[in-house]
C-alpha cells in the first residue's frame, strides 16, 4: 500500500477540522453521543477527501506513464527508408511468376 503524501495529510486533516466545526455549529450538538457522531462524520469526510486526492494522483501517474510508453513506442517505429524503391519487375505474360527465396535469418513475412 502506498504511503500518503503530505497533501493528503494536509487536505484530509483540514477537512476533518473544518467539517467538525461546521457540523458542531450547525447542529448545536451538546450531548456526548451527538459530538461523537459529528466527529465520526467529520473523520469520514476527511478520509473521503484524502482518498479522492489519491485517486487523482494515480490517474495522473497512469496518464504520464501511458504518454511515456506511447512516446517510446513511436520512437521505436522505423521511419520511411531513405533508399529509393526498386522498380517493379515486369510480369511474364506466358507463365507464373517465380517464387522468391528467403535468405538465412530472414523472416518469411519480410518478402
Amino acid at each position: 500500500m502506498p504511503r500518503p503524501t503530505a497533501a493528503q495529510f494536509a487536505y484530509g486533516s483540514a477537512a476533518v477540522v473544518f467539517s467538525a466545526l461546521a457540523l458542531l455549529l450547525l447542529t448545536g450538538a451538546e450531548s456526548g453521543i451527538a459530538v461523537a457522531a459529528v466527529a465520526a462524520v467529520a473523520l469520514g469526510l476527511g478520509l473521503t477527501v484524502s482518498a479522492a486526492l489519491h485517486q487523482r494522483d494515480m490517474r495522473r501517474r497512469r496518464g504520464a506513464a501511458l504518454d511515456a510508453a506511447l512516446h517510446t513506442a513511436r520512437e521505436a517505429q522505423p521511419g520511411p527508408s531513405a533508399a529509393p524503391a526498386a522498380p517493379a519487375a515486369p510480369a511474364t505474360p506466358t507463365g507464373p511468376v517465380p517464387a522468391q527465396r528467403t535468405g538465412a535469418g530472414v523472416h518469411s513475412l519480410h518478402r
Side-chain angles (χ1 to χ4, degrees):
M1 183 166 180
R3 293 184 177 179
T5 63
Q8 289 173 330
F9 275 125
Y11 283 112
S13 299
V16 168
V17 170
F18 289 124
S19 63
L21 286 175
L23 287 172
L24 286 172
L25 290 173
L26 289 174
T27 61
E30 294 179 2
S31 69
I33 294 174
V35 172
V38 165
V41 169
L43 183 61
L45 287 172
L47 289 173
T48 304
V49 167
S50 64
L53 283 174
H54 176 71
Q55 291 297 322
R56 185 190 69 185
D57 291 343
M58 292 305 293
R59 279 194 302 266
R60 283 185 181 174
R61 288 181 188 158
R62 276 190 224 127
L66 181 61
D67 288 344
L70 289 174
H71 181 67
T72 304
R74 285 186 190 132
E75 286 181 352
Q77 289 179 348
S81 63
T92 57
T94 58
V97 176
Q100 293 181 347
R101 299 177 71 189
T102 58
V106 177
H107 195 274
S108 63
L109 294 178
H110 288 204
R111 291 186 198 175

